[in-house]
Amino acid sequence: MKWKKFKIKTTTEAEDIIISTLYDIGLEGAQIEDKVPLTALEKEQMFVDILPEGPADDGIAYLSFFVEEDEDGQLVMNGIPTDEEAILASVKEELDALRVFCDIGEGSITIDETEDIDWINNWKQYFKQFYVDDILIIPSWEEVKEEDKDKMIIHIDPGTAFGTGMHETTQLCIRQLRKYVTSETQLLDVGTGSGILSIIALKMGAKHAVGTDLDPCAVPAVEENKEVNGIDAEDFEMMIGNIIDDKEVQDRVGYEKYDIVVANILADVLVPLTPVIVNQMKPGGIYITSGIIDEKEETVTEAVKAAGLEIIEVTYQGEWVSVTARKQV
């Protein structure tokens, strides 16, 4: 499959209005390249695994739009045949109109042809094996080195929907699990994703894990990762649904049943989750949370205390926080 790439050089301030304007003429799915640092809120909402530090913002942005070519080389936009000249003319017309009341910077347009864009697999180049203390987390396409074969090895293929485990919040949870998992641990993993936390807990010796997630894609992701890590099907059960407000999910998960609940989500989800999830925890059960940007630490700790839990530890990595608490006996 081939694509025509229309790349516009503009300013960071004009990004949104250009994207919106060109969306109206049929160009969708803009790829944005700029050097604007993420805000704390954006980092929390993105919750990404791979986020390298970038250079200082220079105010310049590049917006790329991709238009598919059919087998005959005909450009097709929104199902309608078109051509390079027509698209270019429309884009120039819209940019010229924007210049009247908005600084769009250079506004130049370059056109390239890109063949066989592998949207699904491009992310793999950024996911390499890494360590969390003495645990090796490795994707299926990499080989385990001889010197690592005596480590705990976790094979994770997150796919495009879930994290890899590289994110600081996941690592914070892993370290807390190590402190509390025993051979009798019944674990509840809220926001399971790829299943990495439950799989690691089971490898640490936990007896059983139940995972919940809103995304149906978690089911095949977990099944694949269970299989590659040698986890017995009956040891890790997956449920789809919102445990915060879905009574059916709450009933299926069960009450006062779990020694550990781990929730690596977002602060704004942990606040309504916490007073609900205490009902699933055994007396004396441990509640491990993360996904908390440092600005939201107090918000989460207050919610945890309001739910009647005792905070026993707060740990940090980078800008991220993990709050661990215990349910009263």
Side-chain angles (χ1 to χ4, degrees):
M1 182 182 296
K2 293 183 178 181
W3 306 74
K4 284 290 184 182
K5 177 181 178 181
F6 295 81
K7 187 172 185 177
I8 301 166
K9 183 177 182 180
T10 182
T11 66
T12 54
E13 291 185 354
E15 287 174 4
D16 290 342
I17 192 167
I18 291 177
I19 291 170
S20 176
T21 300
L22 297 186
Y23 182 89
D24 290 340
I25 66 170
L27 287 173
E28 301 178 356
Q31 174 183 297
I32 302 173
E33 300 171 69
D34 61 30
K35 298 172 184 174
V36 178
L38 297 178
T39 65
L41 178 60
E42 287 169 334
K43 289 178 183 178
E44 182 184 30
Q45 290 174 333
M46 288 176 69
F47 204 28
V48 292
D49 280 358
I50 304 158
L51 192 62
E53 291 297 324
D57 177 23
D58 58 6
I60 296 173
Y62 294 90
L63 307 178
S64 296
F65 300 85
F66 298 86
V67 180
E68 183 180 348
E69 291 184 6
D70 64 18
E71 293 179 354
D72 298 322
Q74 174 74 58
L75 292 179
V76 179
M77 193 163 66
N78 294 334
I80 301 172
T82 184
D83 58 50
E84 183 179 307
E85 291 74 19
I87 296 172
L88 186 59
S90 295
V91 171
K92 285 181 175 178
E93 182 180 353
E94 296 298 333
L95 292 179
D96 287 342
L98 287 175
R99 288 182 191 277
V100 176
F101 60 90
C102 175
D103 178 12
I104 67 168
E106 186 174 303
S108 59
I109 308 166
T110 58
I111 304 173
D112 293 308
E113 187 169 76
T114 304
E115 188 169 2
D116 293 331
I117 298 175
D118 192 351
W119 304 108
I120 298 300
N121 291 308
N122 278 348
W123 62 273
K124 289 184 177 181
Q125 64 185 298
Y126 302 107
F127 180 25
K128 307 294 183 183
Q129 58 181 285
F130 66 101
Y131 305 90
V132 181
D133 302 328
D134 60 345
I135 301 171
L136 172 64
I137 298 172
I138 185 169
S140 62
W141 55 90
E142 291 199 1
E143 294 291 329
V144 177
K145 300 172 188 174
E146 189 64 36
E147 60 267 29
D148 288 331
K149 291 186 176 177
D150 59 343
K151 291 182 169 62
M152 180 187 291
I153 299 169
I154 305 296
H155 300 274
I156 290 292
D157 284 0
T160 56
F162 304 109
T164 61
M166 294 178 73
H167 198 278
E168 290 95 331
T169 60
T170 310
Q171 297 182 36
L172 284 165
C173 288
I174 291 169
R175 292 188 174 100
Q176 293 305 100
L177 285 169
R178 168 162 273 163
K179 296 175 184 178
Y180 298 103
V181 166
T182 73
S183 60
E184 296 301 315
T185 294
Q186 297 282 345
L187 176 79
L188 175 59
D189 182 0
V190 182
T192 306
S194 66
I196 184 171
L197 293 177
S198 289
I199 288 169
I200 287 177
L202 290 164
K203 289 282 192 176
M204 289 176 177
K207 191 171 187 178
H208 187 262
V210 171
T212 70
D213 204 287
L214 300 179
D215 191 340
C217 291
V219 174
V222 165
E223 287 304 313
E224 290 171 11
N225 288 322
K226 280 165 56 178
E227 182 177 354
V228 75
N229 285 285
I231 302 296
D232 290 340
E234 61 271 17
D235 290 342
F236 184 1
E237 183 181 359
M238 207 38 231
M239 301 180 190
I240 297 300
N242 190 344
I243 197 169
I244 295 175
D245 58 15
D246 190 330
K247 182 66 162 54
E248 182 180 349
V249 174
Q250 295 169 8
D251 290 345
R252 287 178 62 203
V253 168
Y255 300 94
E256 293 200 343
K257 185 176 176 182
Y258 298 93
D259 302 285
I260 298 176
V261 173
V262 61
N264 184 28
I265 320 179
L266 295 174
D268 290 343
V269 178
L270 290 170
V271 170
L273 171 69
T274 301
V276 173
I277 213 67
V278 293
N279 299 308
Q280 272 66 45
M281 298 169 62
K282 291 180 182 177
I286 298 296
Y287 184 42
I288 299 171
T289 69
S290 196
I292 308 161
I293 197 77
D294 51 16
E295 294 179 2
K296 296 289 186 73
E297 176 183 343
E298 185 176 354
T299 301
V300 175
T301 56
E302 289 302 315
V304 169
K305 289 187 283 189
L309 298 169
E310 173 196 4
I311 295 176
I312 54 178
E313 191 174 10
V314 180
T315 55
Y316 305 88
Q317 187 171 338
E319 298 174 286
W320 300 92
V321 182
S322 172
V323 176
T324 301
R326 179 183 286 115
K327 182 175 178 179
Q328 301 294 328
V329 177

mmCIF file with all atom_site columns, all heavy atoms in Angstrom, residues 71-94:
data_model
loop_
_atom_site.group_PDB
_atom_site.id
_atom_site.type_symbol
_atom_site.label_atom_id
_atom_site.label_alt_id
_atom_site.label_comp_id
_atom_site.label_asym_id
_atom_site.label_entity_id
_atom_site.label_seq_id
_atom_site.pdbx_PDB_ins_code
_atom_site.Cartn_x
_atom_site.Cartn_y
_atom_site.Cartn_z
_atom_site.occupancy
_atom_site.B_iso_or_equiv
_atom_site.pdbx_formal_charge
_atom_site.auth_seq_id
_atom_site.auth_comp_id
_atom_site.auth_asym_id
_atom_site.auth_atom_id
_atom_site.pdbx_PDB_model_num
ATOM 1   N N   . GLU A 1 71 ? -4.641  0.661  -6.001  1.00 0.00 ? 71 GLU A N   1
ATOM 2   C CA  . GLU A 1 71 ? -3.749  -0.193 -6.782  1.00 0.00 ? 71 GLU A CA  1
ATOM 3   C C   . GLU A 1 71 ? -3.349  0.437  -8.115  1.00 0.00 ? 71 GLU A C   1
ATOM 4   O O   . GLU A 1 71 ? -2.313  0.098  -8.696  1.00 0.00 ? 71 GLU A O   1
ATOM 5   C CB  . GLU A 1 71 ? -4.408  -1.552 -7.024  1.00 0.00 ? 71 GLU A CB  1
ATOM 6   C CG  . GLU A 1 71 ? -4.592  -2.370 -5.749  1.00 0.00 ? 71 GLU A CG  1
ATOM 7   C CD  . GLU A 1 71 ? -5.273  -3.701 -6.008  1.00 0.00 ? 71 GLU A CD  1
ATOM 8   O OE1 . GLU A 1 71 ? -5.699  -3.933 -7.169  1.00 0.00 ? 71 GLU A OE1 1
ATOM 9   O OE2 . GLU A 1 71 ? -5.385  -4.502 -5.071  1.00 0.00 ? 71 GLU A OE2 1
ATOM 10  N N   . ASP A 1 72 ? -4.180  1.352  -8.622  1.00 0.00 ? 72 ASP A N   1
ATOM 11  C CA  . ASP A 1 72 ? -3.889  2.006  -9.900  1.00 0.00 ? 72 ASP A CA  1
ATOM 12  C C   . ASP A 1 72 ? -3.146  3.323  -9.722  1.00 0.00 ? 72 ASP A C   1
ATOM 13  O O   . ASP A 1 72 ? -2.951  4.072  -10.692 1.00 0.00 ? 72 ASP A O   1
ATOM 14  C CB  . ASP A 1 72 ? -5.208  2.264  -10.655 1.00 0.00 ? 72 ASP A CB  1
ATOM 15  C CG  . ASP A 1 72 ? -5.936  0.967  -10.969 1.00 0.00 ? 72 ASP A CG  1
ATOM 16  O OD1 . ASP A 1 72 ? -5.250  -0.020 -11.289 1.00 0.00 ? 72 ASP A OD1 1
ATOM 17  O OD2 . ASP A 1 72 ? -7.174  0.948  -10.873 1.00 0.00 ? 72 ASP A OD2 1
ATOM 18  N N   . GLY A 1 73 ? -2.736  3.624  -8.470  1.00 0.00 ? 73 GLY A N   1
ATOM 19  C CA  . GLY A 1 73 ? -2.032  4.866  -8.211  1.00 0.00 ? 73 GLY A CA  1
ATOM 20  C C   . GLY A 1 73 ? -2.935  6.067  -8.033  1.00 0.00 ? 73 GLY A C   1
ATOM 21  O O   . GLY A 1 73 ? -2.467  7.208  -7.958  1.00 0.00 ? 73 GLY A O   1
ATOM 22  N N   . GLN A 1 74 ? -4.248  5.823  -7.966  1.00 0.00 ? 74 GLN A N   1
ATOM 23  C CA  . GLN A 1 74 ? -5.219  6.902  -7.784  1.00 0.00 ? 74 GLN A CA  1
ATOM 24  C C   . GLN A 1 74 ? -5.316  7.270  -6.311  1.00 0.00 ? 74 GLN A C   1
ATOM 25  O O   . GLN A 1 74 ? -5.474  6.399  -5.456  1.00 0.00 ? 74 GLN A O   1
ATOM 26  C CB  . GLN A 1 74 ? -6.601  6.449  -8.283  1.00 0.00 ? 74 GLN A CB  1
ATOM 27  C CG  . GLN A 1 74 ? -7.729  7.420  -8.019  1.00 0.00 ? 74 GLN A CG  1
ATOM 28  C CD  . GLN A 1 74 ? -7.671  8.629  -8.936  1.00 0.00 ? 74 GLN A CD  1
ATOM 29  O OE1 . GLN A 1 74 ? -7.702  8.504  -10.148 1.00 0.00 ? 74 GLN A OE1 1
ATOM 30  N NE2 . GLN A 1 74 ? -7.562  9.802  -8.338  1.00 0.00 ? 74 GLN A NE2 1
ATOM 31  N N   . LEU A 1 75 ? -5.207  8.563  -5.990  1.00 0.00 ? 75 LEU A N   1
ATOM 32  C CA  . LEU A 1 75 ? -5.384  8.996  -4.610  1.00 0.00 ? 75 LEU A CA  1
ATOM 33  C C   . LEU A 1 75 ? -6.862  8.934  -4.252  1.00 0.00 ? 75 LEU A C   1
ATOM 34  O O   . LEU A 1 75 ? -7.735  9.299  -5.061  1.00 0.00 ? 75 LEU A O   1
ATOM 35  C CB  . LEU A 1 75 ? -4.875  10.423 -4.414  1.00 0.00 ? 75 LEU A CB  1
ATOM 36  C CG  . LEU A 1 75 ? -3.359  10.637 -4.537  1.00 0.00 ? 75 LEU A CG  1
ATOM 37  C CD1 . LEU A 1 75 ? -3.016  12.107 -4.331  1.00 0.00 ? 75 LEU A CD1 1
ATOM 38  C CD2 . LEU A 1 75 ? -2.613  9.785  -3.532  1.00 0.00 ? 75 LEU A CD2 1
ATOM 39  N N   . VAL A 1 76 ? -7.129  8.470  -3.032  1.00 0.00 ? 76 VAL A N   1
ATOM 40  C CA  . VAL A 1 76 ? -8.506  8.332  -2.560  1.00 0.00 ? 76 VAL A CA  1
ATOM 41  C C   . VAL A 1 76 ? -8.612  8.985  -1.189  1.00 0.00 ? 76 VAL A C   1
ATOM 42  O O   . VAL A 1 76 ? -7.892  8.622  -0.263  1.00 0.00 ? 76 VAL A O   1
ATOM 43  C CB  . VAL A 1 76 ? -8.917  6.851  -2.469  1.00 0.00 ? 76 VAL A CB  1
ATOM 44  C CG1 . VAL A 1 76 ? -10.350 6.740  -1.962  1.00 0.00 ? 76 VAL A CG1 1
ATOM 45  C CG2 . VAL A 1 76 ? -8.769  6.163  -3.812  1.00 0.00 ? 76 VAL A CG2 1
ATOM 46  N N   . MET A 1 77 ? -9.524  9.964  -1.073  1.00 0.00 ? 77 MET A N   1
ATOM 47  C CA  . MET A 1 77 ? -9.712  10.662 0.193   1.00 0.00 ? 77 MET A CA  1
ATOM 48  C C   . MET A 1 77 ? -11.187 10.587 0.568   1.00 0.00 ? 77 MET A C   1
ATOM 49  O O   . MET A 1 77 ? -12.050 11.019 -0.203  1.00 0.00 ? 77 MET A O   1
ATOM 50  C CB  . MET A 1 77 ? -9.259  12.123 0.078   1.00 0.00 ? 77 MET A CB  1
ATOM 51  C CG  . MET A 1 77 ? -9.128  12.847 1.391   1.00 0.00 ? 77 MET A CG  1
ATOM 52  S SD  . MET A 1 77 ? -8.143  14.375 1.258   1.00 0.00 ? 77 MET A SD  1
ATOM 53  C CE  . MET A 1 77 ? -9.193  15.383 0.225   1.00 0.00 ? 77 MET A CE  1
ATOM 54  N N   . ASN A 1 78 ? -11.452 9.998  1.736   1.00 0.00 ? 78 ASN A N   1
ATOM 55  C CA  . ASN A 1 78 ? -12.835 9.786  2.177   1.00 0.00 ? 78 ASN A CA  1
ATOM 56  C C   . ASN A 1 78 ? -13.650 9.025  1.139   1.00 0.00 ? 78 ASN A C   1
ATOM 57  O O   . ASN A 1 78 ? -14.831 9.303  0.914   1.00 0.00 ? 78 ASN A O   1
ATOM 58  C CB  . ASN A 1 78 ? -13.527 11.121 2.488   1.00 0.00 ? 78 ASN A CB  1
ATOM 59  C CG  . ASN A 1 78 ? -12.911 11.827 3.674   1.00 0.00 ? 78 ASN A CG  1
ATOM 60  O OD1 . ASN A 1 78 ? -12.331 11.192 4.543   1.00 0.00 ? 78 ASN A OD1 1
ATOM 61  N ND2 . ASN A 1 78 ? -13.026 13.145 3.709   1.00 0.00 ? 78 ASN A ND2 1
ATOM 62  N N   . GLY A 1 79 ? -12.980 8.050  0.489   1.00 0.00 ? 79 GLY A N   1
ATOM 63  C CA  . GLY A 1 79 ? -13.660 7.207  -0.488  1.00 0.00 ? 79 GLY A CA  1
ATOM 64  C C   . GLY A 1 79 ? -13.868 7.845  -1.845  1.00 0.00 ? 79 GLY A C   1
ATOM 65  O O   . GLY A 1 79 ? -14.479 7.234  -2.732  1.00 0.00 ? 79 GLY A O   1
ATOM 66  N N   . ILE A 1 80 ? -13.363 9.066  -2.037  1.00 0.00 ? 80 ILE A N   1
ATOM 67  C CA  . ILE A 1 80 ? -13.582 9.787  -3.291  1.00 0.00 ? 80 ILE A CA  1
ATOM 68  C C   . ILE A 1 80 ? -12.255 9.919  -4.038  1.00 0.00 ? 80 ILE A C   1
ATOM 69  O O   . ILE A 1 80 ? -11.267 10.382 -3.466  1.00 0.00 ? 80 ILE A O   1
ATOM 70  C CB  . ILE A 1 80 ? -14.172 11.187 -3.020  1.00 0.00 ? 80 ILE A CB  1
ATOM 71  C CG1 . ILE A 1 80 ? -15.501 11.056 -2.272  1.00 0.00 ? 80 ILE A CG1 1
ATOM 72  C CG2 . ILE A 1 80 ? -14.356 11.960 -4.321  1.00 0.00 ? 80 ILE A CG2 1
ATOM 73  C CD1 . ILE A 1 80 ? -16.048 12.374 -1.794  1.00 0.00 ? 80 ILE A CD1 1
ATOM 74  N N   . PRO A 1 81 ? -12.199 9.543  -5.312  1.00 0.00 ? 81 PRO A N   1
ATOM 75  C CA  . PRO A 1 81 ? -10.962 9.692  -6.083  1.00 0.00 ? 81 PRO A CA  1
ATOM 76  C C   . PRO A 1 81 ? -10.571 11.162 -6.190  1.00 0.00 ? 81 PRO A C   1
ATOM 77  O O   . PRO A 1 81 ? -11.419 12.047 -6.370  1.00 0.00 ? 81 PRO A O   1
ATOM 78  C CB  . PRO A 1 81 ? -11.327 9.114  -7.459  1.00 0.00 ? 81 PRO A CB  1
ATOM 79  C CG  . PRO A 1 81 ? -12.490 8.209  -7.192  1.00 0.00 ? 81 PRO A CG  1
ATOM 80  C CD  . PRO A 1 81 ? -13.255 8.865  -6.095  1.00 0.00 ? 81 PRO A CD  1
ATOM 81  N N   . THR A 1 82 ? -9.293  11.439 -6.104  1.00 0.00 ? 82 THR A N   1
ATOM 82  C CA  . THR A 1 82 ? -8.786  12.806 -6.233  1.00 0.00 ? 82 THR A CA  1
ATOM 83  C C   . THR A 1 82 ? -7.364  12.734 -6.781  1.00 0.00 ? 82 THR A C   1
ATOM 84  O O   . THR A 1 82 ? -6.938  11.665 -7.217  1.00 0.00 ? 82 THR A O   1
ATOM 85  C CB  . THR A 1 82 ? -8.837  13.537 -4.873  1.00 0.00 ? 82 THR A CB  1
ATOM 86  O OG1 . THR A 1 82 ? -8.429  14.899 -5.060  1.00 0.00 ? 82 THR A OG1 1
ATOM 87  C CG2 . THR A 1 82 ? -7.935  12.876 -3.845  1.00 0.00 ? 82 THR A CG2 1
ATOM 88  N N   . ASP A 1 83 ? -6.662  13.849 -6.796  1.00 0.00 ? 83 ASP A N   1
ATOM 89  C CA  . ASP A 1 83 ? -5.280  13.819 -7.264  1.00 0.00 ? 83 ASP A CA  1
ATOM 90  C C   . ASP A 1 83 ? -4.445  14.789 -6.440  1.00 0.00 ? 83 ASP A C   1
ATOM 91  O O   . ASP A 1 83 ? -4.967  15.617 -5.690  1.00 0.00 ? 83 ASP A O   1
ATOM 92  C CB  . ASP A 1 83 ? -5.169  14.114 -8.764  1.00 0.00 ? 83 ASP A CB  1
ATOM 93  C CG  . ASP A 1 83 ? -5.771  15.456 -9.130  1.00 0.00 ? 83 ASP A CG  1
ATOM 94  O OD1 . ASP A 1 83 ? -5.441  16.470 -8.479  1.00 0.00 ? 83 ASP A OD1 1
ATOM 95  O OD2 . ASP A 1 83 ? -6.577  15.489 -10.072 1.00 0.00 ? 83 ASP A OD2 1
ATOM 96  N N   . GLU A 1 84 ? -3.130  14.682 -6.599  1.00 0.00 ? 84 GLU A N   1
ATOM 97  C CA  . GLU A 1 84 ? -2.182  15.461 -5.810  1.00 0.00 ? 84 GLU A CA  1
ATOM 98  C C   . GLU A 1 84 ? -2.397  16.959 -5.993  1.00 0.00 ? 84 GLU A C   1
ATOM 99  O O   . GLU A 1 84 ? -2.380  17.725 -5.018  1.00 0.00 ? 84 GLU A O   1
ATOM 100 C CB  . GLU A 1 84 ? -0.774  15.059 -6.211  1.00 0.00 ? 84 GLU A CB  1
ATOM 101 C CG  . GLU A 1 84 ? 0.334   15.732 -5.429  1.00 0.00 ? 84 GLU A CG  1
ATOM 102 C CD  . GLU A 1 84 ? 1.703   15.238 -5.886  1.00 0.00 ? 84 GLU A CD  1
ATOM 103 O OE1 . GLU A 1 84 ? 1.913   14.000 -5.904  1.00 0.00 ? 84 GLU A OE1 1
ATOM 104 O OE2 . GLU A 1 84 ? 2.537   16.088 -6.233  1.00 0.00 ? 84 GLU A OE2 1
ATOM 105 N N   . GLU A 1 85 ? -2.628  17.381 -7.232  1.00 0.00 ? 85 GLU A N   1
ATOM 106 C CA  . GLU A 1 85 ? -2.781  18.805 -7.522  1.00 0.00 ? 85 GLU A CA  1
ATOM 107 C C   . GLU A 1 85 ? -4.028  19.371 -6.848  1.00 0.00 ? 85 GLU A C   1
ATOM 108 O O   . GLU A 1 85 ? -4.003  20.495 -6.319  1.00 0.00 ? 85 GLU A O   1
ATOM 109 C CB  . GLU A 1 85 ? -2.860  19.038 -9.037  1.00 0.00 ? 85 GLU A CB  1
ATOM 110 C CG  . GLU A 1 85 ? -1.568  18.781 -9.781  1.00 0.00 ? 85 GLU A CG  1
ATOM 111 C CD  . GLU A 1 85 ? -1.242  17.293 -9.927  1.00 0.00 ? 85 GLU A CD  1
ATOM 112 O OE1 . GLU A 1 85 ? -2.174  16.465 -9.774  1.00 0.00 ? 85 GLU A OE1 1
ATOM 113 O OE2 . GLU A 1 85 ? -0.069  16.954 -10.174 1.00 0.00 ? 85 GLU A OE2 1
ATOM 114 N N   . ALA A 1 86 ? -5.109  18.613 -6.861  1.00 0.00 ? 86 ALA A N   1
ATOM 115 C CA  . ALA A 1 86 ? -6.351  19.092 -6.256  1.00 0.00 ? 86 ALA A CA  1
ATOM 116 C C   . ALA A 1 86 ? -6.212  19.228 -4.749  1.00 0.00 ? 86 ALA A C   1
ATOM 117 O O   . ALA A 1 86 ? -6.669  20.214 -4.152  1.00 0.00 ? 86 ALA A O   1
ATOM 118 C CB  . ALA A 1 86 ? -7.495  18.133 -6.605  1.00 0.00 ? 86 ALA A CB  1
ATOM 119 N N   . ILE A 1 87 ? -5.554  18.241 -4.124  1.00 0.00 ? 87 ILE A N   1
ATOM 120 C CA  . ILE A 1 87 ? -5.353  18.309 -2.674  1.00 0.00 ? 87 ILE A CA  1
ATOM 121 C C   . ILE A 1 87 ? -4.449  19.479 -2.329  1.00 0.00 ? 87 ILE A C   1
ATOM 122 O O   . ILE A 1 87 ? -4.731  20.268 -1.414  1.00 0.00 ? 87 ILE A O   1
ATOM 123 C CB  . ILE A 1 87 ? -4.746  16.994 -2.149  1.00 0.00 ? 87 ILE A CB  1
ATOM 124 C CG1 . ILE A 1 87 ? -5.720  15.835 -2.361  1.00 0.00 ? 87 ILE A CG1 1
ATOM 125 C CG2 . ILE A 1 87 ? -4.402  17.129 -0.655  1.00 0.00 ? 87 ILE A CG2 1
ATOM 126 C CD1 . ILE A 1 87 ? -5.135  14.466 -2.046  1.00 0.00 ? 87 ILE A CD1 1
ATOM 127 N N   . LEU A 1 88 ? -3.361  19.625 -3.082  1.00 0.00 ? 88 LEU A N   1
ATOM 128 C CA  . LEU A 1 88 ? -2.404  20.701 -2.822  1.00 0.00 ? 88 LEU A CA  1
ATOM 129 C C   . LEU A 1 88 ? -3.080  22.066 -2.966  1.00 0.00 ? 88 LEU A C   1
ATOM 130 O O   . LEU A 1 88 ? -2.881  22.968 -2.139  1.00 0.00 ? 88 LEU A O   1
ATOM 131 C CB  . LEU A 1 88 ? -1.225  20.582 -3.783  1.00 0.00 ? 88 LEU A CB  1
ATOM 132 C CG  . LEU A 1 88 ? -0.055  21.543 -3.562  1.00 0.00 ? 88 LEU A CG  1
ATOM 133 C CD1 . LEU A 1 88 ? 0.532   21.364 -2.163  1.00 0.00 ? 88 LEU A CD1 1
ATOM 134 C CD2 . LEU A 1 88 ? 1.021   21.303 -4.616  1.00 0.00 ? 88 LEU A CD2 1
ATOM 135 N N   . ALA A 1 89 ? -3.897  22.219 -3.989  1.00 0.00 ? 89 ALA A N   1
ATOM 136 C CA  . ALA A 1 89 ? -4.591  23.490 -4.205  1.00 0.00 ? 89 ALA A CA  1
ATOM 137 C C   . ALA A 1 89 ? -5.550  23.793 -3.050  1.00 0.00 ? 89 ALA A C   1
ATOM 138 O O   . ALA A 1 89 ? -5.630  24.942 -2.585  1.00 0.00 ? 89 ALA A O   1
ATOM 139 C CB  . ALA A 1 89 ? -5.346  23.451 -5.535  1.00 0.00 ? 89 ALA A CB  1
ATOM 140 N N   . SER A 1 90 ? -6.262  22.769 -2.588  1.00 0.00 ? 90 SER A N   1
ATOM 141 C CA  . SER A 1 90 ? -7.203  22.977 -1.481  1.00 0.00 ? 90 SER A CA  1
ATOM 142 C C   . SER A 1 90 ? -6.479  23.356 -0.198  1.00 0.00 ? 90 SER A C   1
ATOM 143 O O   . SER A 1 90 ? -6.924  24.246 0.538   1.00 0.00 ? 90 SER A O   1
ATOM 144 C CB  . SER A 1 90 ? -8.028  21.702 -1.252  1.00 0.00 ? 90 SER A CB  1
ATOM 145 O OG  . SER A 1 90 ? -8.853  21.423 -2.352  1.00 0.00 ? 90 SER A OG  1
ATOM 146 N N   . VAL A 1 91 ? -5.345  22.672 0.072   1.00 0.00 ? 91 VAL A N   1
ATOM 147 C CA  . VAL A 1 91 ? -4.578  22.960 1.286   1.00 0.00 ? 91 VAL A CA  1
ATOM 148 C C   . VAL A 1 91 ? -4.031  24.395 1.231   1.00 0.00 ? 91 VAL A C   1
ATOM 149 O O   . VAL A 1 91 ? -4.130  25.151 2.207   1.00 0.00 ? 91 VAL A O   1
ATOM 150 C CB  . VAL A 1 91 ? -3.431  21.941 1.469   1.00 0.00 ? 91 VAL A CB  1
ATOM 151 C CG1 . VAL A 1 91 ? -2.510  22.385 2.605   1.00 0.00 ? 91 VAL A CG1 1
ATOM 152 C CG2 . VAL A 1 91 ? -3.994  20.561 1.748   1.00 0.00 ? 91 VAL A CG2 1
ATOM 153 N N   . LYS A 1 92 ? -3.477  24.792 0.077   1.00 0.00 ? 92 LYS A N   1
ATOM 154 C CA  . LYS A 1 92 ? -2.937  26.152 -0.058  1.00 0.00 ? 92 LYS A CA  1
ATOM 155 C C   . LYS A 1 92 ? -4.033  27.193 0.130   1.00 0.00 ? 92 LYS A C   1
ATOM 156 O O   . LYS A 1 92 ? -3.825  28.233 0.770   1.00 0.00 ? 92 LYS A O   1
ATOM 157 C CB  . LYS A 1 92 ? -2.282  26.314 -1.430  1.00 0.00 ? 92 LYS A CB  1
ATOM 158 C CG  . LYS A 1 92 ? -0.934  25.634 -1.553  1.00 0.00 ? 92 LYS A CG  1
ATOM 159 C CD  . LYS A 1 92 ? -0.331  25.868 -2.934  1.00 0.00 ? 92 LYS A CD  1
ATOM 160 C CE  . LYS A 1 92 ? 1.075   25.284 -3.026  1.00 0.00 ? 92 LYS A CE  1
ATOM 161 N NZ  . LYS A 1 92 ? 1.666   25.455 -4.387  1.00 0.00 ? 92 LYS A NZ  1
ATOM 162 N N   . GLU A 1 93 ? -5.201  26.930 -0.429  1.00 0.00 ? 93 GLU A N   1
ATOM 163 C CA  . GLU A 1 93 ? -6.318  27.868 -0.297  1.00 0.00 ? 93 GLU A CA  1
ATOM 164 C C   . GLU A 1 93 ? -6.713  28.054 1.165   1.00 0.00 ? 93 GLU A C   1
ATOM 165 O O   . GLU A 1 93 ? -6.933  29.183 1.627   1.00 0.00 ? 93 GLU A O   1
ATOM 166 C CB  . GLU A 1 93 ? -7.514  27.360 -1.112  1.00 0.00 ? 93 GLU A CB  1
ATOM 167 C CG  . GLU A 1 93 ? -8.719  28.297 -1.066  1.00 0.00 ? 93 GLU A CG  1
ATOM 168 C CD  . GLU A 1 93 ? -9.885  27.775 -1.880  1.00 0.00 ? 93 GLU A CD  1
ATOM 169 O OE1 . GLU A 1 93 ? -9.719  26.753 -2.598  1.00 0.00 ? 93 GLU A OE1 1
ATOM 170 O OE2 . GLU A 1 93 ? -10.968 28.379 -1.810  1.00 0.00 ? 93 GLU A OE2 1
ATOM 171 N N   . GLU A 1 94 ? -6.775  26.949 1.894   1.00 0.00 ? 94 GLU A N   1
ATOM 172 C CA  . GLU A 1 94 ? -7.153  27.031 3.310   1.00 0.00 ? 94 GLU A CA  1
ATOM 173 C C   . GLU A 1 94 ? -6.074  27.734 4.133   1.00 0.00 ? 94 GLU A C   1
ATOM 174 O O   . GLU A 1 94 ? -6.381  28.539 5.026   1.00 0.00 ? 94 GLU A O   1
ATOM 175 C CB  . GLU A 1 94 ? -7.414  25.630 3.870   1.00 0.00 ? 94 GLU A CB  1
ATOM 176 C CG  . GLU A 1 94 ? -8.583  24.894 3.235   1.00 0.00 ? 94 GLU A CG  1
ATOM 177 C CD  . GLU A 1 94 ? -9.913  25.602 3.455   1.00 0.00 ? 94 GLU A CD  1
ATOM 178 O OE1 . GLU A 1 94 ? -10.047 26.333 4.465   1.00 0.00 ? 94 GLU A OE1 1
ATOM 179 O OE2 . GLU A 1 94 ? -10.817 25.430 2.616   1.00 0.00 ? 94 GLU A OE2 1
#
